[in-house]
Amino acid sequence: MSTTMASADWSSLPAELLSRIAECFLATSDLDYYMDFRAVCHSWRSATEDPKSSPDPHFRPRHWVIIDRHFGGDKTYLWVNTATGRFVPKELPLLRHYWGSSTTPDGLLILYDNEAPCAISLLNAFTGYRIRFVAPPPESGQIMESAALVSGSPPTLVFSCRKMDIDDDFVLQETDRKVYTAYPDSESFSVYEERHACPLIRLALRGIYTNGELGSVAPFPVEGAEKIFDLMRFYNAEPDESSDDEDTLMSDEIAAFKFLIGYDNRCYLVGSAGEILIIFKLKGSMEVYRMDTDSYILERVKNIGNRAIFLSGNCKCISVNPDKFPSIEANCIYYIKSLDYSGDYICKYNLRSRRGEKISRDMGRGSRPYTIIQHLSSYDLQ
């Protein structure tokens, strides 16, 4: 090896080159690589932005989902990158001081303080960025379903809650559903009142995996919400037959049960390769629409390209790149269905052939090691 090669000073690489390398990691949300890259030396850190104190959506783990957890002393989470197919275990001892393990659609952990008033924080497990909302959580009995951090100055937390009460027959029933918003320094959470948009926020918060910035998706624009509701009425997807409000959705428990047994139609919103898709799971087929986010025109599509979609009974969904997972097929939608009394099965619907088929048992009946299809199909995406 030459003396010149042996004494190469990697710390003197041009800042522009270092920045371009770092951007390559961020393009696929490989934030662990980005953090390792910055840790090499002072000059490499100086040429790149520190994500620990930045709310920039580019630094959010938008392609990462948790597929397994170990709640021992080390609080280990197994993450998978749906864009690259990489699996990364991460120990998060910080979580000993919090409870809660769900995530926003772009991968931020939703945490509650262990001590009253149990303030809400959002944590980026890959960069260490944490934002705390000082407002106490809404009234007792409210259960957070899903949440998102909307970019802005300051950022806004948007989340949907449902209230559960015990009725006269001592049965736990959903009695109310609300959408709340707050800034980090807000003294209390505000209730979002828009009648048409609120039910759609529940769907949007659970499935819009885009570039980490929900923008106008939450709160959902009235114009876009009305068009989606028109389709939901057309396909008879998720109406609450006990309500006089035609834009009210049935409770999660009832909807999830009917999804599992294939009895009712469901509606999903999902971000997929930069597009927003509206998916209707019908009794014997699937219908997919693409939404133009500028005009809110909905176009029926028969091909979602080189993507695969995973649906859950709780309206949670995710889009993955099948090239990175050998067993997953493109232009297909995966879901769980209870076919008989022997248990639940994972099914696959091919949009090209418009045919569905049973492919395996779910994780509840199968044995380890589980396949990635079992993980993503059975995973509730929280």
Side-chain angles (χ1 to χ4, degrees):
M1 181 182 293
S2 67
T3 303
T4 303
M5 179 65 70
S7 61
D9 185 5
W10 293 102
S11 64
S12 63
L13 290 175
E16 181 181 358
L17 175 60
L18 295 172
S19 179
R20 293 180 64 180
I21 294 173
E23 285 296 325
C24 290
F25 295 142
L26 294 179
T28 53
S29 193
D30 285 317
L31 296 170
D32 52 332
Y33 288 169
Y34 181 88
M35 297 299 289
D36 292 343
F37 182 80
R38 295 191 75 250
V40 170
C41 62
H42 175 74
S43 63
W44 288 26
R45 287 191 293 276
S46 300
T48 54
E49 187 176 353
D50 184 3
K52 290 185 178 180
S53 57
S54 174
D56 191 331
H58 283 86
F59 295 127
R60 298 184 193 173
R62 60 192 182 276
H63 295 308
W64 293 92
V65 296
I66 301 168
I67 61 172
D68 204 0
R69 302 171 173 87
H70 174 65
F71 292 125
D74 57 359
K75 295 282 187 178
T76 301
Y77 289 69
L78 178 61
W79 300 73
V80 61
N81 187 318
T82 58
T84 65
R86 291 179 54 229
F87 292 80
V88 174
K90 289 193 69 66
E91 293 184 4
L92 299 171
L94 171 68
L95 300 192
R96 289 195 296 265
H97 305 293
Y98 300 92
W99 61 275
S101 58
S102 60
T103 64
T104 66
D106 47 12
L108 300 176
L109 284 165
I110 305 169
L111 307 173
Y112 294 85
D113 289 353
N114 276 336
E115 299 180 355
C118 301
I120 299 172
S121 297
L122 299 183
L123 172 69
N124 187 324
F126 289 82
T127 67
Y129 171 76
R130 182 169 64 96
I131 183 169
R132 189 171 186 269
F133 293 81
V134 299
E139 59 187 284
S140 61
Q142 296 272 17
I143 301 173
M144 181 187 289
E145 299 179 305
S146 47
L149 184 65
V150 181
S151 296
S153 184
T156 305
L157 175 65
V158 181
F159 65 91
S160 64
C161 280
R162 56 194 172 104
K163 187 174 183 179
M164 307 297 292
D165 288 316
I166 298 177
D167 63 16
D168 295 337
D169 296 322
F170 300 100
V171 177
L172 195 63
Q173 297 282 355
E174 178 182 312
T175 59
D176 192 20
R177 187 191 300 274
K178 293 180 180 178
V179 173
Y180 294 91
T181 65
Y183 299 122
D185 58 355
S186 297
E187 294 183 359
S188 62
F189 284 93
S190 301
V191 179
Y192 187 70
E193 299 287 358
E194 176 52 55
R195 182 177 69 89
H196 287 284
C198 280
L200 267 298
I201 293 177
R202 172 169 69 105
L203 305 183
L205 293 184
R206 292 177 169 183
I208 302 296
Y209 286 71
T210 52
N211 63 352
E213 182 173 5
L214 293 180
S216 62
V217 174
F220 210 90
V222 174
E223 182 181 1
E226 288 178 337
K227 291 182 178 180
I228 295 174
F229 266 119
D230 286 341
L231 281 176
M232 292 177 75
R233 295 187 195 101
F234 178 79
Y235 288 113
N236 194 31
E238 294 186 74
D240 184 353
E241 297 175 357
S242 64
S243 172
D244 294 330
D245 185 348
E246 63 181 358
D247 289 342
T248 300
L249 305 185
M250 67 177 65
S251 71
D252 275 357
E253 286 74 15
I254 296 175
F257 174 72
K258 291 187 175 183
F259 166 88
L260 190 62
I261 63 175
Y263 180 75
D264 240 341
N265 301 336
R266 301 299 308 273
C267 176
Y268 295 81
L269 271 66
V270 60
S272 179
E275 299 179 328
I276 293 181
L277 303 178
I278 299 95
I279 300 174
F280 290 93
K281 179 188 175 297
L282 309 178
K283 292 181 178 64
S285 64
M286 300 273 185
E287 295 292 345
V288 181
Y289 290 79
R290 179 188 297 116
M291 182 172 71
D292 186 315
T293 53
D294 293 324
S295 64
Y296 301 111
I297 293 175
L298 304 180
E299 174 192 6
R300 185 168 178 262
V301 296
K302 297 182 179 180
N303 192 324
I304 58 174
N306 192 36
R307 307 298 296 182
I309 308 292
F310 287 82
L311 309 179
S312 82
N314 292 324
C315 274
K316 296 184 178 180
C317 43
I318 191 168
S319 169
V320 305
N321 181 353
D323 285 346
K324 305 301 179 180
F325 303 96
S327 58
I328 298 177
E329 292 187 31
N331 202 36
C332 289
I333 299 175
Y334 293 81
Y335 60 96
I336 291 180
K337 186 174 182 180
S338 183
L339 297 178
D340 52 46
Y341 291 106
S342 63
D344 302 334
Y345 292 85
I346 299 171
C347 298
K348 176 184 69 179
Y349 185 85
N350 188 303
L351 289 170
R352 180 178 179 182
S353 66
R354 300 189 63 81
R355 295 184 61 182
E357 61 177 312
K358 178 179 70 176
I359 58 174
S360 71
R361 288 185 177 272
D362 75 335
M363 287 170 57
R365 294 280 181 169
S367 57
R368 290 180 180 270
Y370 299 128
T371 67
I372 186 60
I373 290 179
Q374 287 175 310
H375 273 296
L376 293 178
S377 298
S378 303
Y379 179 50
D380 62 7
L381 299 183
Q382 287 194 358

